[in-house]
Amino acid sequence: MIVDDILSRLLYRDALVLVIDKPAGLPVHPGPKGGETLTQHLDALRFGLPRRPEAAHRLDRDTSGCLALGRHAKALARLNALFAQGRAEKTYWALVEGGPAEEAGEIDLALARRSDDPRSWWMKADPSGDPALTRWRVMGRDPAAGRTWLALNPVTGRTHQLRVHCAAMGWPILGDPIYGSAPRQGGPGLHLHARTLALPLYPKKPAITVEAPAPGHMRAGLAACGV
């Protein structure tokens, strides 16, 4: 079992929203291959409400960090609108192989599916695809290992956007078996973490800002980059 106690992963709670620290390796929703999912654990987060909360956005199975849950239908609709309008601000931490020469920049590359198979979610950079924009900045470097610690801000929310964008620039995310050099089995794990989530949910209050601690498999690499 990947999640022993979902309550220990609760980062924020109010009447409308919960934010949890999703572990790497756990899909949010059931897939064709079955197995454990986050959805199976959400009844423990009802806190007296008649129904379990539901995820308001996506995180890949192998990405850890901040995931927002709507506590009821109206809350979920409000959260969905924030993400659809691009008003929810997300910052990811990534360890990449190699890295950019500059200290900050943006990646503006449209993305499309690699295959027409509706079961496939693998993506590619394609000028005829959907617009996708990522802003990045260097947080630290580890010259000895040839790695860089990046903060990534996805302005759009395309499937696998950060992974494809980093790979297309020549610095794939460490541990990525699809777009990088990691093996399918026995790799170091995807070094991509949803570090911060800011939700301007209440008009007369500051945005709810939540941070998730770096996962265990990324800590040594981040420390080597100066975290």
Side-chain angles (χ1 to χ4, degrees):
M1 175 180 280
I2 296 175
V3 177
D4 292 323
D5 180 12
I6 192 70
L7 290 172
S8 71
R9 292 188 163 271
L10 184 63
L11 301 172
Y12 177 84
R13 168 187 169 189
D14 69 17
L16 297 182
V17 63
L18 309 174
V19 179
I20 64 167
D21 179 10
K22 187 191 84 66
L26 184 68
V28 176
H29 301 294
K33 296 182 180 180
E36 182 182 6
T37 68
L38 177 68
T39 302
Q40 296 168 351
H41 298 275
L42 294 182
D43 279 319
L45 299 177
R46 290 189 297 143
F47 297 111
L49 295 185
R51 295 183 180 178
R52 69 188 182 198
E54 298 291 345
H57 58 116
R58 297 190 307 268
L59 279 185
D60 291 349
R61 178 190 66 187
D62 294 324
T63 302
S64 59
C66 292
L67 181 71
L69 309 171
R71 299 194 63 193
H72 47 74
K74 289 184 178 179
L76 188 60
R78 287 177 62 177
L79 286 166
N80 286 341
L82 286 184
F83 284 97
Q85 296 163 6
R87 297 174 58 210
E89 296 183 10
K90 296 172 282 185
T91 299
Y92 291 74
W93 280 1
L95 282 173
V96 300
E97 301 176 29
E102 301 82 4
E103 294 300 308
E106 63 180 37
I107 307 165
D108 187 358
L109 288 174
L111 302 179
R113 287 191 185 189
R114 283 187 185 176
S115 168
D116 292 332
D117 185 344
R119 296 171 296 178
S120 174
W121 288 98
W122 293 10
M123 307 295 285
K124 63 180 179 180
D126 186 337
S128 65
D130 294 320
L133 178 63
T134 300
R135 297 192 175 105
W136 58 268
R137 67 186 184 279
V138 172
M139 304 290 286
R141 299 181 190 267
D142 178 7
R147 296 172 182 169
T148 305
W149 166 27
L150 297 179
L152 302 170
N153 297 100
V155 179
T156 52
R158 309 300 179 196
T159 300
H160 291 182
Q161 175 176 318
L162 301 180
R163 297 166 68 178
V164 179
H165 272 178
C166 287
M169 298 300 290
W171 13 278
I173 295 174
L174 182 65
D176 193 334
I178 298 176
Y179 307 102
S181 60
R184 287 295 184 86
Q185 301 292 334
L190 184 68
H191 282 51
L192 180 63
H193 176 64
R195 168 64 173 175
T196 307
L197 181 62
L199 302 170
L201 193 58
Y202 302 103
K204 297 182 180 180
K205 296 182 179 180
I208 299 163
T209 302
V210 186
E211 287 187 348
H217 71 286
M218 289 181 63
R219 288 175 189 163
L222 290 170
C225 288
V227 69

